[in-house]
Amino acid sequence: MYYEPGNIPHGLKHDPFKSCVVPRPIGWISTVDGKGNHNLAPYSQFQNVTFNPPIVMFASNQDSKGNRKDTVRNAEESGEFVWNMAAWDLREAVNISAQELPLDVDEFELAGLEKAPSRLVKAMRVKRSPIQFECKYLNTLRFPGNGPMGSSDVVFGKVVAIHIADEVLDANGQVDIVKVRPIARMGYFEYTSVDSKFSMVIPGDQRALLGGLEGSPDKVNLELTRNA
């Protein structure tokens, strides 16, 4: 089949676009506003941008009334946010926190989630989440769209603190991602979870490149120094 979005219809019962870009990590973002209202919401356009320094981003479409999301406003106004990993055993809480709700509704409480204080930012963490990033807001790129929900705010933040539950680290000091079993967004109303993995190492003796793929500034700098 072939179609052109907004020009040639796809002719299907359901739009296929989001189901073609999968799986997408979930940005389960917690923020707090100036009045102390806590907010927690999942975003399926989330990713790391670079590792030195570590920077992440999440993209937020407007709500059904065409308003900017509370998460975006809070991050911009407070200069902070927290990313919480959405794991398999938290899937129902993630779904509950996705609702459009009034500003003064605390999604932590609505989803039955216990808060944990952060070290460097005011936004709370999801205590049961196995991994959390405390982030300092950097900037927002805004992309105008079609219709009330089409516009998107892409928010960037620098990771200033990382929390990893000890029980998800294996004997080699690596995150046991299969044990964590993070969930990811698919298309339509579908999700998936990580329950298997495989490894591939780029051939050749390119240790700086491999250090970059691992996301280790120390290993990259060591190899670049050796080869200087």
Side-chain angles (χ1 to χ4, degrees):
M1 65 163 296
Y2 171 84
Y3 75 104
E4 298 175 9
N7 186 22
I8 299 176
H10 51 68
L12 302 172
K13 294 177 67 175
H14 303 280
D15 197 301
F17 171 68
K18 284 191 173 182
S19 67
C20 297
V21 186
V22 296
R24 300 190 303 280
I26 294 174
W28 205 15
I29 308 296
S30 51
T31 56
V32 62
D33 68 13
K35 297 181 179 180
N37 294 308
H38 293 278
N39 183 272
L40 177 66
Y43 295 87
S44 65
Q45 284 86 222
F46 170 84
Q47 192 54 265
N48 66 305
V49 179
T50 185
F51 67 96
N52 189 21
I55 292 173
V56 296
M57 56 73 63
F58 67 91
S60 169
N61 287 97
Q62 314 302 276
D63 66 19
S64 61
K65 296 179 181 178
N67 299 315
R68 302 178 82 208
K69 297 283 184 67
D70 296 337
T71 304
V72 175
R73 294 200 307 269
N74 291 349
E76 292 177 344
E77 292 172 6
S78 69
E80 304 169 341
F81 64 90
V82 172
W83 169 75
N84 306 273
M85 178 171 279
W88 170 257
D89 61 354
L90 291 167
R91 62 193 183 282
E92 295 297 339
V94 173
N95 197 37
I96 291 171
S97 68
Q99 301 175 79
E100 285 189 9
L101 299 165
L103 180 62
D104 59 353
V105 174
D106 187 329
E107 288 86 358
F108 282 90
E109 296 180 359
L110 187 68
L113 295 167
E114 185 177 354
K115 298 183 180 80
S118 298
R119 296 282 189 91
L120 303 180
V121 305
K122 294 180 180 178
M124 292 290 186
R125 298 176 290 125
V126 175
K127 186 173 183 178
R128 288 176 55 204
S129 176
I131 303 174
Q132 308 108 16
F133 294 168
E134 297 182 28
C135 304
K136 292 288 187 178
Y137 169 81
L138 291 176
N139 63 304
T140 302
L141 291 178
R142 183 169 175 82
F143 294 91
N146 301 320
M149 299 178 70
S151 296
S152 177
D153 294 306
V154 185
V155 179
F156 295 84
K158 179 182 177 181
V159 180
V160 294
I162 297 176
H163 303 258
I164 303 175
D166 292 337
E167 59 267 24
V168 304
L169 294 172
D170 65 19
N172 294 319
Q174 294 181 309
V175 175
D176 187 344
I177 208 66
V178 174
K179 184 175 183 179
V180 172
R181 201 176 174 185
I183 61 173
R185 194 71 173 85
M186 305 285 274
Y188 319 118
F189 302 107
E190 298 173 343
Y191 292 76
T192 188
S193 66
V194 179
D195 56 12
S196 65
K197 63 181 179 180
F198 64 96
S199 298
M200 292 194 300
V201 178
I202 295 175
D205 188 18
Q206 304 177 71
R207 296 181 184 180
L209 174 61
L210 296 179
L213 291 175
E214 181 182 326
S216 173
D218 293 338
K219 292 181 180 180
V220 170
N221 293 335
L222 177 61
E223 292 306 321
L224 293 178
T225 300
R226 285 176 175 175
N227 297 326

